[in-house]
Amino acid sequence: MKTVDELLSAVLAGELGPDPAELTATSVFWIHHGTRLAGGDVTYLNQYVLVRVGGAFGGCAFEAGEIDPAICRDASGSSLATLLTEAPQALRTAALDAYLAAVAPHREAPGAEPVTLPAGPPEVRAVARDTAIAGLLDIEPGAKVALIGVVNPLVAAIRERGGDPLPCDLNLRTTQWGDPVSDDMHEVLAAADAVVATGMTLSNGTFDTILARCRERDVPLIVYAQSGSAVARAFLGAGVTALSAEPFPFSQFSAEPTALYRYRAAPRAKGGS
């Protein structure tokens, strides 16, 4: 599968597990969350829509105004197939994420490396999370790393691994240290030696473009995903080189130890004579 639509079609056809028409979205809920880390000057405002299917949750962030909280009343109790075919894109992504997480929970998935984030304040947990993400980068010193979806601790973590961040975001103009932030992902994708992208690219429809561009240029793609973490996992080895998957409840909603799961695609076989 090369696109999210192809993945969705496979799920609807029952090729990856049970028929989604026979599964119920027990709970659909909406979270509006604001964070400003100590010492920072940026307030991150995030909205998430989440879907529970049996023992699994799926989630997806979205831009302000895209979804109204009333959708929680309207969608809760719907069949998963209904959400996968009729819901707005962010809710559709959350439903797809829930389905794939129910079929193969991260905690049981082959190849998943659990990383426990320590108990503590947001600053400690954010640094631990972003250090774990940056640890998936296998780069030469000075490599240009496109960062599509900017969080300041991750900019710092990339630098600590010797990378030169190329930040790109639709909502930020500079990093905490004054680095300019591009709003043109094509610009940073063209210049990058490696790409790190947030799962929110699944929500805004840019994931397939990033995936295709990284395939074309044979550039490593690392995805860090609260949004659609099980969706991104489906593309490991098919454009996604590595993944930091953080299922709900996300790290910012707890002060206790929580887990994220790191995945690496199997190395590609080299051609012989």
Side-chain angles (χ1 to χ4, degrees):
M1 290 175 285
K2 293 185 177 181
T3 68
V4 175
D5 280 347
E6 288 181 7
L7 175 62
L8 178 60
S9 295
V11 167
L12 288 169
E15 296 173 8
L16 301 181
D19 183 349
E22 298 177 357
L23 300 177
T24 299
T26 308
S27 177
V28 175
F29 55 108
W30 185 98
I31 298 174
H32 187 120
H33 180 255
T35 298
R36 178 177 290 194
L37 298 177
D41 59 0
V42 176
T43 300
Y44 299 99
L45 295 175
N46 301 112
Q47 295 77 219
Y48 300 90
V49 63
L50 298 115
V51 175
R52 182 168 190 172
V53 175
F57 291 89
C60 189
F62 59 92
E63 296 289 352
E66 287 184 10
I67 292 178
D68 188 276
I71 203 164
C72 303
R73 176 195 62 224
D74 299 335
S76 294
S78 299
S79 80
L80 204 59
T82 298
L83 299 186
L84 291 172
T85 54
E86 300 177 13
Q89 183 161 327
L91 179 52
R92 190 165 66 247
T93 299
L96 181 60
D97 189 37
Y99 178 91
L100 295 170
V103 169
H106 289 294
R107 63 182 177 276
E108 300 173 4
E113 173 199 358
V115 176
T116 300
L117 303 180
E123 294 76 19
V124 169
R125 289 170 58 76
V127 169
R129 184 194 69 177
D130 294 335
T131 298
I133 296 167
L136 292 168
L137 276 169
D138 183 14
I139 56 174
E140 299 291 332
K144 297 184 184 301
V145 180
L147 178 58
I148 300 176
V150 175
V151 288
N152 285 312
L154 188 48
V155 174
I158 290 170
R159 283 205 172 101
E160 288 171 4
R161 292 191 65 83
D164 178 14
L166 303 176
C168 179
D169 199 285
L170 295 177
N171 297 314
L172 296 177
R173 297 283 63 86
T174 64
T175 69
Q176 179 180 337
W177 303 276
D179 309 287
V181 176
S182 174
D183 62 358
D184 183 354
M185 74 171 186
H186 299 285
E187 177 183 63
V188 299
L189 287 172
D193 301 307
V195 177
V196 180
T198 175
M200 193 172 175
T201 55
L202 289 160
S203 175
N204 63 25
T206 59
F207 179 81
D208 284 345
T209 299
I210 296 167
L211 194 67
R213 190 71 174 119
C214 289
R215 286 194 195 110
E216 290 167 6
R217 296 193 57 229
D218 197 22
V219 168
L221 171 60
I222 295 89
V223 179
Y224 67 103
Q226 294 180 332
S227 298
S229 60
V231 179
R233 182 182 60 184
F235 295 93
L236 273 171
V240 173
T241 309
L243 167 67
S244 173
E246 191 177 344
F248 186 81
F250 307 139
S251 58
Q252 63 266 42
F253 299 136
S254 177
E256 300 302 316
T258 56
L260 60 78
Y261 300 87
R262 298 198 303 186
Y263 296 83
R264 293 175 174 84
R268 289 181 297 179
K270 295 183 179 179
S273 58

